[in-house]
Amino acid sequence: MLEMLEQRYSWIQDYLDQYIAVDVLNEEFVIGYINEFKPDYQVRLLGAPKCSQLSKDLGAMYKKGKLNRSAIGLPLIERGFPKWVYVYTKKELDK
């Protein structure tokens, strides 16, 4: 179980090496995670599928000091679509 957790964290870190920032509404990011780890998810009419495991992993990585997190407001105002989302970036190592 711990090995799978570390694999998921490593995959997220590797993705951030290429794309700088991620959030749970980024369809390419979420689908990539789903394809790699086969977690449960729910299809949404707008945006990326909802994947609770990915949200938990991102939150845990932030709490462990592995990621930075900031909230951004979203300009799209549609019923059922959030008004804001957390955006995660890699935590730079102190030099």
Side-chain angles (χ1 to χ4, degrees):
M1 183 87 157
L2 186 57
E3 184 177 313
M4 179 58 81
L5 179 69
E6 288 303 320
Q7 287 176 7
R8 294 194 315 259
Y9 287 6
S10 179
W11 186 90
I12 292 168
Q13 292 280 12
D14 290 346
Y15 193 94
L16 282 167
D17 284 340
Q18 295 178 351
Y19 296 98
I20 302 171
V22 296
D23 62 67
V24 296
L25 299 179
N26 178 322
E27 195 168 10
E28 182 180 317
F29 171 62
V30 176
I31 290 174
Y33 180 93
I34 289 168
N35 288 339
E36 185 72 24
F37 299 108
K38 312 296 188 250
D40 292 335
Y41 66 93
Q42 298 171 333
V43 175
R44 295 182 184 179
L45 295 177
L46 278 176
K50 181 177 181 178
C51 180
S52 296
Q53 186 61 60
L54 175 56
S55 296
K56 289 176 188 174
D57 285 349
L58 290 168
M61 290 176 74
Y62 167 72
K63 288 178 183 173
K64 290 179 180 184
K66 295 177 182 251
L67 298 177
N68 293 315
R69 178 172 79 182
S70 58
I72 61 165
L74 300 174
L76 181 64
I77 300 178
E78 292 281 335
R79 188 175 183 169
F81 207 74
K83 295 179 182 177
W84 63 273
V85 67
Y86 283 128
V87 174
Y88 296 88
T89 58
K90 255 186 141 165
K91 194 140 210 170
E92 296 299 323
L93 298 175
D94 292 331
K95 294 183 181 182

